[in-house]
Amino acid sequence: GESVGLHLPTLSVQEGDNSIINCAYSNSASDYFIWYKQESGKGPQFIIDIRSNMDKRQGQRVTVLLNKTVKHLSLQIAATQPGDSAVYFCAENEGNTDKLIFGTGTRLQVFP
Amino acid sequence: EADIYQTPRYLVIGTGKKITLECSQTMGHDKMYWYQQDPGMELHLIHYSYGVNSTEKGDLSSESTVSRIRTEHFPLTLESARPSHTSQYLCASSAPRQGARETQYFGPGTRLLVL
């Protein structure tokens, strides 16, 4: 049968445009958040992280925004490139544990 | 970035067979993890270890078992594989980063198909 995973939320953007991927987290006690990128056939790759005492953090072409009031996390990718095509996962962590809770991924498709 | 190796990358096996998925890391990380991931879905923690001789069950119940006899090695074993075990298995390890929380780094995964 068809996998539910084939209905993964998908964001399609044109090469050069900016991408915004959103994530809602569940635990108000979570104080550390990570974005991972997973390309087909590979394990998740760390992109950027943010602690709950911050609301914004920038990396190379990526920015993570944290809104604790509504428990929302977003990943912004500037000047999206074909190599950015992947599934993106957010993960949350509560301070008293090393375990990560992963959200449902978003598939980013970049068109020329 | 951690160097984490998983073997085999792909495995097709018949029901009832015993299998061991290998995971090794060369960074000396104390903490290691096993996740199960169905295609395109979120990762679910099935086992973790804080160091040698430490193993704990994760949030998702699994019929697999793990061992941690050496720091660098964290194998996962299925005593009797079933079609319901078909999935991708991801190994990760973590270490403290200066001024930051421990971050988990992942291996390439093992795709398991049980017929």
Side-chain angles (χ1 to χ4, degrees):
Chain A
E2 186 175 52
S3 168
V4 173
L6 294 178
H7 298 291
L8 201 65
T10 299
L11 175 66
S12 298
V13 299
Q14 192 164 22
E15 182 178 356
D17 287 351
N18 296 333
S19 303
I20 300 176
I21 301 170
N22 297 303
C23 177
Y25 64 93
S26 56
N27 186 355
S28 57
S30 293
D31 61 354
Y32 178 58
F33 306 87
I34 308 173
W35 279 101
Y36 284 92
K37 171 187 180 183
Q38 187 174 25
E39 297 175 274
S40 181
K42 298 183 179 180
Q45 177 187 3
F46 171 87
I47 301 174
I48 192 168
D49 58 359
I50 188 168
R51 303 187 77 155
S52 60
N53 60 353
M54 304 172 67
D55 53 20
K56 180 179 180 180
R57 188 157 188 237
Q58 288 185 292
Q60 187 177 11
R61 277 201 310 117
V62 294
T63 300
V64 55
L65 299 177
L66 175 63
N67 185 331
K68 295 181 286 295
T69 301
V70 295
K71 292 190 286 188
H72 184 267
L73 195 67
S74 68
L75 177 71
Q76 300 178 358
I77 304 173
T80 312
Q81 303 169 359
D84 295 327
S85 294
V87 177
Y88 289 80
F89 291 94
C90 66
E92 61 183 295
N93 171 245
E94 187 178 340
N96 61 356
T97 173
D98 293 311
K99 293 191 287 184
L100 292 177
I101 306 298
F102 283 82
T104 304
T106 296
R107 186 184 308 280
L108 177 64
Q109 294 180 330
V110 183
F111 292 94
Chain B
E1 188 172 322
D3 291 324
I4 302 179
Y5 308 96
Q6 290 186 243
T7 58
R9 291 294 313 278
Y10 304 93
L11 179 61
V12 181
I13 202 163
T15 296
K17 300 293 185 182
K18 177 180 179 179
I19 59 170
T20 296
L21 308 184
E22 303 288 349
C23 176
S24 297
Q25 49 96 4
T26 60
M27 300 301 290
H29 291 173
D30 286 328
K31 295 175 184 174
M32 297 188 73
Y33 312 81
W34 275 104
Y35 291 86
Q36 185 173 339
Q37 182 186 32
D38 290 329
M41 302 296 284
E42 60 265 39
L43 284 71
H44 294 287
L45 181 68
I46 53 175
H47 298 283
Y48 60 102
S49 167
Y50 285 142
V52 171
N53 294 325
S54 156
T55 60
E56 302 286 344
K57 289 193 177 294
D59 301 320
L60 181 67
S61 175
S62 174
E63 294 169 342
S64 58
T65 59
V66 293
S67 62
R68 190 88 183 274
I69 299 173
R70 303 198 315 264
T71 298
E72 63 272 20
H73 196 213
F74 191 38
L76 181 146
T77 298
L78 276 166
E79 290 292 334
S80 180
R82 295 207 304 268
S84 61
H85 296 139
T86 294
S87 190
Q88 175 165 249
Y89 293 85
L90 290 159
C91 180
S93 70
S94 68
R97 293 161 55 224
Q98 189 174 8
R101 189 75 62 81
E102 292 204 19
T103 298
Q104 293 183 23
Y105 297 95
F106 286 83
T110 294
R111 288 185 181 271
L112 173 64
L113 173 61
V114 183
L115 302 175

